[in-house]
Amino acid sequence: METVQKLTSGFSLDLGPLKEPLGFIRVLEWVFAIFAFATTGGYSGTTHFELTCPDDKRDIFAGFYYPFRLSAKPYTIPYCNGTESENKYLQGDFSSSAEFFVSVGVFAFLYCTATLVLYLGYQHVYRQTTRGPIIDLVVTAIFAFLWFVSSSAWGKGLTDVKWATNPEHLVEQCHNITCNVGTHPSMGRLNASVIFGFLNLILWGGNCWFIYKETPFHKDPNPPATMEEGEAPGP
């Protein structure tokens, strides 16, 4: 309880940092992190092809969703005689790259939230010692690296998901029956997630420079002249 009182008593809201690159870019990172994990984590789609029978055509739908363990849910192909059917599965498990990407997005969102509270409410604590900017720089650089790795991995995973759910690929598995290509699944949302991932890479990588300027490692190349340096030598 005493710790909470100390934190609340030291809180001083100042929106000034939002006008500086340090705070403004952090807000962008917060927003784009939400876009990245939200466009991936809540996705569900359906691929479709047609079974051609002598009397009619039958629609076959195969659903898939995050985290893209495609073989976890079967889809049914009814035979033309109407009395028999066969269960088949989409092939592939791409959950590792998808879950890694979403995890990076969630942790980045949480870190942005914490640092924005620090920037706006405890700016005096942040600048009081060199420890705060140095830690911020290291964590931001780590997240930039994680965005690169996770976005690259998820981009490859998405390519594999597209191939595994392509109805042109699925109709090749029809044996002794005639299948026709149907509707391709909508992948625009997942394409956007990869774009948001690499945008986050740019934001977090670029923000390292502005945080670096807050650390003692950054030296002003043109330090102001002191009074003694500015005095002209005596006669």
Side-chain angles (χ1 to χ4, degrees):
M1 190 67 181
E2 183 178 350
T3 304
V4 175
Q5 291 178 350
K6 289 182 179 180
L7 289 175
T8 54
S9 62
F11 182 83
S12 178
L13 182 62
D14 180 13
L15 300 181
L18 294 180
K19 301 177 183 179
E20 302 174 1
L22 184 67
F24 179 71
I25 295 178
R26 188 65 84 195
V27 172
L28 292 180
E29 292 171 347
W30 184 80
V31 172
F32 279 95
I34 295 175
F35 287 161
F37 72 76
T39 50
T40 307
Y43 178 85
S44 63
T46 303
T47 186
H48 163 245
F49 60 96
E50 294 180 343
L51 171 64
T52 302
C53 295
D55 300 332
D56 60 356
K57 293 183 178 180
R58 302 182 182 184
D59 294 319
I60 311 298
F61 295 96
F64 60 99
Y65 46 84
Y66 175 84
F68 306 103
R69 294 186 179 94
L70 301 185
S71 58
K73 183 178 179 181
Y75 62 94
T76 303
I77 298 181
Y79 291 154
C80 292
N81 57 22
T83 59
E84 299 179 4
S85 63
E86 181 181 1
N87 286 337
K88 287 187 174 292
Y89 296 84
L90 296 174
Q91 300 299 313
D93 183 353
F94 311 103
S95 58
S96 58
S97 59
E99 290 177 336
F100 179 44
F101 181 79
V102 170
S103 297
V104 171
V106 171
F107 282 112
F109 162 77
L110 294 176
Y111 182 72
C112 287
T113 303
T115 50
L116 282 174
V117 172
L118 183 63
Y119 292 167
L120 303 182
Y122 299 94
Q123 184 66 208
H124 58 289
V125 177
Y126 180 77
R127 299 181 185 274
Q128 187 174 6
T129 63
T130 60
R131 186 184 306 171
I134 292 175
I135 294 175
D136 194 13
L137 175 63
V138 172
V139 176
T140 300
I142 292 174
F143 268 110
F145 175 74
L146 290 176
W147 277 119
F148 171 72
V149 175
S150 63
S151 299
S152 300
W154 173 228
K156 175 60 170 62
L158 178 57
T159 301
D160 295 336
V161 169
K162 291 179 178 179
W163 181 85
T165 59
N166 190 331
E168 297 178 3
H169 166 66
L170 296 179
V171 297
E172 297 175 358
Q173 303 178 16
C174 294
H175 303 292
N176 302 323
I177 54 177
T178 303
C179 297
N180 297 317
V181 175
T183 305
H184 288 71
S186 176
M187 294 289 187
R189 180 173 171 178
L190 296 182
N191 291 332
S193 69
V194 176
I195 294 174
F196 285 131
F198 283 105
L199 285 176
N200 273 291
L201 167 62
I202 295 172
L203 286 173
W204 288 79
N207 200 21
C208 287
W209 166 248
F210 297 103
I211 301 175
Y212 171 74
K213 293 172 67 175
E214 301 291 330
T215 67
F217 306 126
H218 179 261
K219 303 297 183 181
D220 190 350
N222 297 311
T226 61
M227 291 295 294
E228 295 179 358
E229 293 173 344
E231 291 178 354

